[in-house]
Amino acid sequence: MRHRTLASTAAVLLLLTALSPTAVHGQPAAPETLRVDLASPMGAFHGGATGILYGLGDPGVPSRDLIAGMRPRTISQKAPDGEQHPNGDALVVADDYFDAGGTDVHIYAQDVYSAWPYQNLGIDDYIARLRPQLEKVAQRPDRDRFVWTIFNEPDWIWYGGDWATKKEKFFADWTTVYRLVKSVLPNARITGPGETQYRADHLRDLLTYAKANDVLPDIVTWHELGPDSLTTYRGHYEDYRNIERSLGITPRPININEYSNRRDTSVPGQMIQWITMLEETKVDGQMAYWSMAGNLSDHTSRAGRANGGWWLTKWYADLSGDTVRVTPPKPSTRDTLQGLAAFDRDDAKATVLLGGTENAVEVEVTGLDRKVFGNQVDVRVAKTTWSGYEGDAQHPPVVAASRVRVVDGKAKIAVPGGDRLAAYQVIITRAGLGAPPAANAPWQASYEAESGTVENARVVVQDDGSGSYDMAWRYTTSGRKDIGFMNNPDSRVTVDVEVPRDGTYRLGVFYGTNAFVGQQALYVDDVHVGNLTLPATLNWVYRGRHDTPITLTAGKHRISMRTSGPGGFLGGMSDVTLDRFDLTEITGPDKTVYQLTDSRRSGGTVERGARALQVAAPGAVVLNPGDAVTTYVSTTEDGYQSLSTTWLGVGASKLGLTFSGRRVEGGDLTAGRAGVWSGSVTAHLKAGVTEVVLSNEGRTPLAVGTLTVVRDAPADRHAARVEAEAGQLAGGAAATSGPWASGGSYVGWVGNNGTLTVQRPEAARKAGQYNLTIAYAQAEKNTGHPYNTDTITRTLIATEEGGQATAAPYRHNYTWDGFWPETSPIDLLTPGGALTFGNATAWGPNVDWIQLAPLVVANTVKPRY
C-alpha cells in the first residue's frame, strides 16, 4: 500500500513432443533443473501467502467467486468509517469475505485518518477515533476474527527520524493503544510493528520492552516492498526467529502484511517467487495495494473475471497435504526459477508450482513412494501467463502431458520455456487404467509490438532491466517496451506472423488507454478487417487485452494496427499504447473439461480405478450423501453454456447444482435407479469465473468424474435485451447520445431522484431465477491520494412491480460512456411485473441496455449403460 524508496529420457521426449509451439520471449539455451523431494516433508500446507491489502472494495467487488477461488487467509482493510479511502471498510466487506472462506480480517486502525501520511494530531486524538471502531467490532458475534493493526509504518509516520530519541514515545503510545484494544476486546489479536522494512534493531527493542510490560504483539508484522526482498526475506525471517529465541519469547505468527511491487502483481512468473518463500517459511503475507481497492491487488479483470495471475493464486489455494523440499538452481535470488510442491498422500497426488524463468525446466522428482504412486505416474503440465491487468484469462490449458515410468522412486518431467511471465502447475498422480493424459493447448504464438515495423510512433522503454526500485515501481510491460505516441494520422505498427493452418485465430491485442475508450483500425495483409474498439484502462501502462477473431490462411501474414482506416484518421481515440499481439488457434466452440479430482471437496474421496473408467475419466470423486465437489468455471462471454457430467450411482441418485452460492432451480440431475448416467444442464453463466458446486443430494453414494462446459450460442435466443432509452424515464433520468452506446444513446442520471422502468420482454414473463445483465459505465472516484486510485462503486437497485428489490454493484470502469456488461442474479416473483432501476440515496451508473436471461433452459439425463 505504501510506496517506499527503499522421468526418464524417454518420458522427457514424450512431454516435449506434446508442447504447444508458443514463442513469447525467444528460445531458451538450456533447461534449468528444479529438484523436488517428496520424501522430505516441510510441514503441513499453510496457504497464507496470498492475503491482500484492500483486496476487497465493496460487497460484490470483487465477486464472491474470485475471492473463494483465491481463498486468501487474511486481508487488511480500512478502519470502520475511516476516511483514508472511499471504500474497503472492514465491516462492510467482512461478511462476503468470511462467506467465501476467508479466515481473518485485519483492520488498519490508523486509516481512520484522511491524509497520507496520517495527520499527527496526538495520541489522545487517535484514541478518540479508535474507541468507536472497537465498540463497533465488539457488537459482532465474530469479533475475534478481526485483527488490529494499531500502527502502520511507524518508522516514518509519527515516529520517524532518530530511533534512539523516538522509540520511548512509540513504546508509550504502543502501550496506551494496546491496552485500550484489550480492554474493549479481551481476545483481540494485535499486530506490529508493521514497519516499512525489516529493522532488526527496532524489533529487538520493541520486543524487549513489550515482554517486560506485557504488551507483546500477538502477530509480528513488517513490510517487504523492495525488489531485493526476493533475495533478503529468508535472511530476515531467520534473523527474527533468532531474536525471539534470544529474548525467550514464544514464536509469534508472522504476517508480511505488505509485500510485492507493481511489476509483480498480476504476473504469474513474478508472484510465484513471492508465494514460494512465504509458504516455505509458513507465514502469512498480504500483497500491497498499488492501484485500486477491490481487485485482489491487480488479480482481477473487471469485477468478476480472472486474469492470468489469479489462476496462480487459485492453484496455490488448491494445494493440500504437506509441502516438501524443493531446490531451485539459485535459492533466494530475485527474478529466477523458484517453486514449491505439496504431496497429498490421501489423494495420491503431488503438485508442483514453478516459474520465474524464460528457460525450459526439467523437474527432477524423487521420493515417489511405490505404495502410493505405483510403477507409473500420469503427469499434466498446465500454464498460466500474464494476460494484462484488465485482460481476462480462461482456465489454464494443459501444455504437456504423459504417462511416465517411475524408476527407483524417481521421474523427470519437462516443462516448456519461452515465457518469463508465466507460471506452471505440474500434477503427478498414480497412473489410471485408461489412456494416458493428453495436452489440450491450442497452437499459440506471441509477437512484441516493438519488434514489428513502427511508423510515426515511438518505442518506449518501460523497464530498462536494471532491477532498480524505480523499475519495480512501474507496471509490467511484456518485453519491457511498448509503442506510444500513436497520435499521427499515419501512425501504425505492423508485425509479421506465420500460422500453421487455414482457419480462425483469436488475435489478442495488449494495449493501454489513459481512461478513455480507444479505437484503431485492424489490417491484415493491407486489407482493412475492421476497427477495434478498445475498452478503457486505468492508464497508458495498466494493460488491457482485447480479443477478436480473424481468418487466416496457412503461412505468412502481416497484421497491422493503424490510427487511420478507410474513413480517415480516427483522431484522439486512436492514441493508445500497444504492447503485444497474441495469436491463438480456434479449433471449435469454447469447450473446457474440468477434472473433478483436481477440485476442492467437502467430504468425498478420490478413486483412480474401475469406477473412474466407468465414468470415462482418469479419476473419480466418490461422494457420499451430503458431500460436494467445487470447481471454478471460466467463460469468455455472458451467455448459455452446456454443463455435462457422467456419474455412477449404486441406487437412485440426485446431483445438485449451485452457482456462486445460488442453488439452481431446475438444475438437479436425477436418476431413478442404479447405473451409469450422463446428464447436462443448459444454463446462463456470466463472463468470467463462476463457482460451480456439484453435491450429492441423494441417499446413496455416487462417483463423478469430470465436468464439461461447452458454449451453446444458439440458446442465447432465450435471453431478451432492451435498450435503456426505450424504457420509461422519471425524475432526473435522461437519455444521452454516446458514440459507444449500442443504439447511439444511453440513460444517465439514474439514481437519487432518477429512475428507469422497463417492461418485461416476452421471454422473461415467468417467475423464476434469471440473470440480469446491464451494460453500464461509471467513472466516479476520489482524487486526493498520492498513488492509490480511489475508485468508487455505484449500486443500482432493480425493483420488480409486485415483487422484491434486488441490488447489484457496478465497479468503476474508467469512463462515463464506455460500457461494460455486468451480470448479476435476480429472482423474479411475478409473471410480468415491470422492473424499475434506481437508487434512492445515491447515483447509479449510466445504462446502455438491459438483458434478462432465464437461468436454466434445458436439463437432460440419459442412461449411459
Side-chain angles (χ1 to χ4, degrees), residues 66 72 100 251 305 335 381 394 403 411 435 438 518 532 649 692 695 704 734 777 861:
L66 291 179
R305 307 184 188 195
D335 300 341
V381 180
Q394 299 306 303
R403 181 161 290 167
L532 299 188
V692 176
S695 55
V704 61
V861 175

Side-chain angles (χ1 to χ4, degrees), residues 390-391 507-511 531-535 544-548:
E390 287 287 4
L507 173 65
V509 179
F510 285 67
Y511 71 95
N531 291 345
L532 299 188
T533 299
L534 307 173
R545 194 197 67 238
H546 179 75
D547 294 336
T548 190

Side-chain angles (χ1 to χ4, degrees), residues 416-703:
D419 190 351
R420 71 176 182 87
L421 304 181
Y424 299 85
Q425 178 198 53
V426 181
I427 293 180
I428 306 166
T429 60
R430 188 183 187 102
L433 298 180
N440 60 16
W443 179 92
Q444 190 268 335
S446 296
Y447 307 88
E448 295 294 340
E450 67 273 13
S451 297
T453 301
V454 179
E455 301 174 69
N456 296 295
R458 297 185 204 171
V459 176
V460 180
V461 177
Q462 298 292 354
D463 181 353
D464 63 12
S466 66
S468 68
Y469 281 78
D470 177 59
M471 295 299 107
W473 172 241
R474 300 185 183 192
Y475 290 112
T476 286
T477 298
S478 180
R480 298 193 171 101
K481 301 175 184 178
D482 65 4
I483 306 302
F485 302 94
M486 297 192 70
N487 49 20
N488 295 303
D490 50 358
S491 297
R492 64 180 64 179
V493 176
T494 304
V495 294
D496 295 321
V497 305
E498 186 172 3
V499 298
R501 286 170 288 277
D502 294 355
T504 303
Y505 292 81
R506 182 178 296 111
L507 173 65
V509 179
F510 285 67
Y511 71 95
T513 79
N514 198 24
F516 62 86
V517 177
Q519 191 173 76
Q520 286 195 345
L522 171 64
Y523 284 76
V524 176
D525 299 328
D526 291 323
V527 176
H528 181 249
V529 174
N531 291 345
L532 299 188
T533 299
L534 307 173
T537 65
L538 176 65
N539 54 49
W540 299 111
V541 291
Y542 198 80
R543 296 285 177 242
R545 194 197 67 238
H546 179 75
D547 294 336
T548 190
I550 59 175
T551 301
L552 299 174
T553 57
K556 297 180 179 180
H557 298 274
R558 290 171 60 80
I559 294 177
S560 184
M561 294 287 287
R562 305 178 183 181
T563 57
S564 294
F569 184 38
L570 294 171
M573 63 186 174
S574 65
D575 187 11
V576 305
T577 59
L578 296 176
D579 188 6
R580 194 177 87 195
F581 304 98
D582 286 353
L583 276 178
T584 305
E585 186 175 18
I586 299 174
T587 57
D590 287 344
K591 175 182 177 180
T592 306
V593 178
Y594 298 85
Q595 304 285 350
L596 296 180
T597 52
D598 297 341
S599 300
R600 302 173 191 172
R601 304 192 310 275
S602 173
T605 57
V606 170
E607 181 179 306
R608 303 188 191 276
R611 278 191 278 199
L613 275 181
Q614 288 179 289
V615 295
V621 177
V622 180
L623 301 176
N624 289 313
D627 291 345
V629 60
T630 300
T631 193
Y632 292 85
V633 167
S634 63
T635 58
T636 59
E637 59 185 340
D638 300 284
Y640 283 95
Q641 308 280 338
S642 171
L643 296 87
S644 61
T645 191
T646 299
W647 72 96
L648 167 66
V650 298
S653 54
K654 184 199 296 188
L655 267 175
L657 196 60
T658 300
F659 296 157
S660 307
R662 182 191 195 191
R663 188 73 161 84
V664 178
E665 297 173 1
D668 290 348
L669 299 174
T670 303
R673 58 174 174 79
V676 178
W677 300 83
S678 292
S680 68
V681 172
T682 302
H684 190 272
L685 296 185
K686 63 185 179 184
V689 173
T690 299
E691 181 189 73
V692 176
V693 178
L694 291 171
S695 55
N696 184 351
E697 303 294 328
R699 298 181 178 180
T700 58
L702 57 83

Side-chain angles (χ1 to χ4, degrees), residues 13 110 302 358 452 595 724:
L13 291 173
Q110 284 177 296
R302 307 189 180 184
E358 65 180 348
Q595 304 285 350

